Every structure is written in C-alpha cells, then in structure tokens.
Amino acid sequence: MSWGLENLPYGVFSRHEGETPRVGVRYGDHVVDLAAALHDEVFATGSLNAFMSRGPAAWRDTRALIQNKLSTDRVAVGPHLVPLDQVTLHLPIEVADYVDFYCSLEHASNLGRMFRPDEEPLKPNWRHLPVGYHGRAGTVVASGTPVTRPSGQRGAGVFGPSAKLDIEAELGFVVGTPTALGDRAGRFEDHVFGVTLVNDWSARDLQAWEYVPLGPFLGKSFATSISPWITPLAALSEARIEGRPQDPEPLDYLRREEPWGLDLRLEVSVNGEVVSRPPYRDMYWTPDQMLAHMTVNGAALRTGDLYASGTVSGSGPGERGSLIELTWNGTEPLKLPDGSARTFLEDGDTVTITATAPGPGGTTITLGAVSGTIEPAR
C-alpha cells in the first residue's frame, strides 16, 4: 500500500478539541501515536521541531524502530493506532524561516517569454545560481486552511482585490539540523529531514506592479499552504536520480556530489478536475544545490526552516505548474469538464496538489496532498 512501511510520513494530530496536538506517522488509514507507542515525550509536543533537532542518526533509528514495531509487534502497537477519520491534522512544523526558489528552467523560460518577449527569456544569472527570495514564515499554513483573496496595488493609483490569483505547485524541504551563524551547510541529508508538497499562492497582478526592483512582496506573502505530512528523505531512496545536466558547469560550491534529483510526479486539480501533471525530475537546480547556495554566505539554518523549489513545470503544455502558464497569462482560458473556464482562480475554487514517487520493490510512495479553497477578499 502507498501508506505502508516504506513510507511512514510524519505529521501532527489531535483527536478532539482541546487536546494538545501530538506527533504521529501515517500507516494505512491510521495515525500511530508515537509518544504512546515509543514512550518518548518528544512526540507529545505540538510540532516536529524537537524531534527533528535530534539529527539524522535519531531520524534513522526512530524510523527503523517504528518499522520494526509495526511489522513484528502489532499487538503492542495496536492500541496506539488512531483511525485517520477521527483526527484533526495540524501544521506539522514551527516554521522558522521560509525561502522560495525559482529552479524550473521551463517555468522561468515561460515567464520570461510572457513578460519580456523581445529579450532572452532567462536573466544572465539564472544558469549560474539558484535564484530565490525570502518569504514570510508566519503565513505558511496547513493544508485545508481557507485562503482569503488578497488586496493590494495593481498599478499606479489602482487598489483592490487581486484579479489574477494563481497557484504554484512546488516541493518543499524541511530543515532539521541547524548550523551556526557564519558556517556553511554540510551534506544535504545531514540537514534536511524530509519533503512536503507546497502551494505558494500568488497574486500575479500585485506581483507584476511591485516586484521591481526588490522582488516579490505582497503578491506572495499572504499565504503558502503545505501538506500536513512530512515525507522523510529515507522514504524517497528509490526516487533519487541524477540531476539535470547543467551548462555552464556550476561553481565548486554548487557542484553535485550525490544524486539528489527526485523522480516525483505532481498532479494539480481545480475543483476536483486534473489540469496539470508537472514532473519534478526535470528541475534544473536540485535541493542540495539550493541548500548550498542558501548558506554559502554564512546564513544560519534553524530547525524548522522551510525552503521550496519554486513552480514545477515540464516541457509539455499539460505539465505546467501554474495557471499563468497553463492559460498563458489569461490569453488561453483553461476549459474545465463542467463547461466552465478559468484564466485565474475564482472565489470558491479549491486547488489540490498531490504527488507520487517510486518506492522499493515496485511500490509507490504517496506524498500527503495540499489543498486550499479561495474565499472572497475582506
């Protein structure tokens, strides 16, 4: 099963209103209450941060212990299996900092062609470093949290609700092991605990007016949704592939030492209808390179840091991870099976992003979905 022993994503849950949220892992259609099953109070906290701060040796040992108990000691674990339909899922981490990258060659090229048709699609620096910016950690929300349509300036003297509300289908990386200020990060797997699906909601009209010269601000900071489940890196061992060839060859600190491309297939649905299947395997910059670049200047990592890949887009029209690409900035409306059309999101629309990856022995690893529904501007 896709939620079997080879997967075991971590999340935070509660069973009834007023109960302190606890850490668990998903197993089938149940959540394992880890504080009770493993007799470890680190899992009785309301986030994964305390556990993640223990480091990679503890992550490996704990995963092996959970797998062993579920496969050989089900009688003891049984009382601590909570049906999934009896729990409320919460934001799984206390987000320390949030960084968003721009790592898809196809996405960056598409936007360049749209907005700078008389220039080269990519800026001169794009193939030399993973471009990114700092987001707003306080507006990272759990899947299912309603997203209020943002308002802001859309041009000189023009204010109002965004008319170009968009999605960005992304993969996020959750940092467990911190670094000291002034130090660079070490090996990717020694710092990054796991991955989560991300929808980095975007108000394209606000963004287009404000982003020169300092980059995204209000057009991106109003909400970023993440899955309630963090898939540990160990669950993605069969999904690891060589990263995409890069030209020119990156500087020494960005050269890949291990294969951290990931063969994930995302799926984007609007109101239950699939509109895109972006392939993560085609990303130009890999997550180890993002981590190296993010810390090369000595910026410290903190437990709970979240950094995301940027929009995942492939080369085909049905592989684009944003509406601005799928509709070519609104000039080619997207036809939905119910007969309606979309250029950008309307109030009441629900967007869900899912993903799968190859697992051991021909199994499939399913990542936890991320979903959100648009509410009218206030």
Side-chain angles (χ1 to χ4, degrees):
M1 58 182 173
S2 59
W3 301 102
L5 293 173
E6 68 285 343
N7 195 341
L8 300 177
Y10 289 83
V12 172
F13 73 98
S14 58
R15 284 165 288 201
H16 54 77
E17 189 174 350
E19 181 184 53
T20 300
R22 303 161 70 82
V23 174
V25 295
R26 180 168 179 178
Y27 181 63
D29 292 326
H30 290 77
V31 180
V32 183
D33 183 347
L34 292 180
L38 303 184
H39 308 289
D40 190 337
E41 288 302 301
V42 76
F43 299 113
T45 62
S47 83
L48 277 162
N49 290 45
F51 170 61
M52 294 192 302
S53 69
R54 290 181 171 177
W59 307 340
R60 289 190 297 270
D61 292 347
T62 300
R63 179 174 171 82
L65 179 60
I66 296 168
Q67 289 173 323
N68 182 64
K69 282 184 173 290
L70 286 170
S71 58
T72 66
D73 200 8
R74 286 293 298 275
V75 173
V77 176
H80 310 304
L81 291 172
V82 185
L84 193 61
D85 60 8
Q86 294 180 17
V87 306
T88 298
L89 297 173
H90 304 276
L91 192 68
I93 59 172
E94 296 172 37
V95 183
D97 281 310
Y98 171 53
V99 171
D100 193 28
F101 284 96
Y102 191 48
C103 291
S104 166
L105 176 63
E106 285 71 24
H107 175 69
S109 297
N110 285 338
L111 265 61
R113 292 186 187 101
M114 263 182 242
F115 296 118
R116 300 183 299 275
D118 299 325
E119 301 178 23
E120 286 295 320
L122 299 177
K123 289 294 186 180
N125 64 349
W126 198 90
R127 290 181 182 269
H128 293 268
L129 55 85
V131 173
Y133 71 95
H134 281 272
R136 191 176 181 91
T139 52
V140 176
V141 298
S143 175
T145 303
V147 176
T148 300
R149 182 178 297 274
S151 295
Q153 291 192 35
R154 304 198 305 256
V158 180
F159 180 90
S162 172
K164 290 187 172 184
L165 186 53
D166 200 357
I167 65 161
E168 291 192 340
E170 307 192 18
L171 187 65
F173 302 88
V174 178
V175 172
T177 308
T179 60
L181 185 64
D183 289 347
R184 299 182 185 184
R187 297 169 68 236
F188 171 73
E189 59 267 42
D190 288 341
H191 292 283
V192 173
F193 173 74
V195 305
T196 187
L197 288 176
V198 174
N199 186 348
D200 197 31
W201 307 89
S202 301
R204 300 298 184 184
D205 40 4
L206 276 62
Q207 183 179 354
W209 173 240
E210 72 180 3
Y211 85 101
V212 177
L214 292 181
F217 189 42
L218 300 183
K220 303 282 289 182
S221 64
F222 58 96
T224 300
S225 300
I226 69 170
S227 168
W229 299 109
I230 308 297
T231 303
L233 288 186
L236 298 176
S237 58
E238 297 297 317
R240 292 177 60 180
I241 57 174
E242 296 291 337
R244 186 170 176 166
Q246 295 179 317
D247 183 24
E249 185 176 6
L251 294 176
D252 286 348
Y253 80 94
L254 286 172
R255 289 181 187 169
R256 301 174 182 137
E257 297 181 358
E258 297 183 59
W260 277 112
L262 293 169
D263 185 13
L264 273 63
R265 172 66 65 171
L266 280 64
E267 190 171 273
V268 180
S269 298
V270 177
N271 300 333
E273 303 294 343
V274 176
V275 297
S276 179
R277 292 184 171 89
Y280 188 84
R281 66 176 297 138
D282 293 341
M283 297 296 274
Y284 189 86
W285 295 103
T286 51
D288 52 327
Q289 293 176 307
M290 299 179 221
L291 183 72
H293 188 63
M294 192 166 64
T295 62
V296 70
N297 66 343
L301 293 175
R302 294 192 291 172
T303 299
D305 280 356
L306 172 69
Y307 68 93
S309 62
T311 304
V312 181
S313 289
S315 57
E319 298 179 330
R320 298 167 180 169
S322 64
L323 289 177
I324 196 170
E325 293 172 274
L326 288 167
T327 70
W328 210 250
N329 198 22
T331 63
E332 302 171 7
L334 192 66
K335 301 294 193 300
L336 297 180
D338 65 1
S340 64
R342 291 291 185 279
T343 51
F344 293 93
L345 295 174
E346 297 182 3
D347 294 345
D349 283 348
T350 298
V351 178
T352 301
I353 303 169
T354 58
T356 57
T363 59
T364 298
I365 301 295
T366 299
L367 275 66
V370 59
S371 185
T373 299
I374 304 303
E375 293 191 342
R378 296 176 186 171

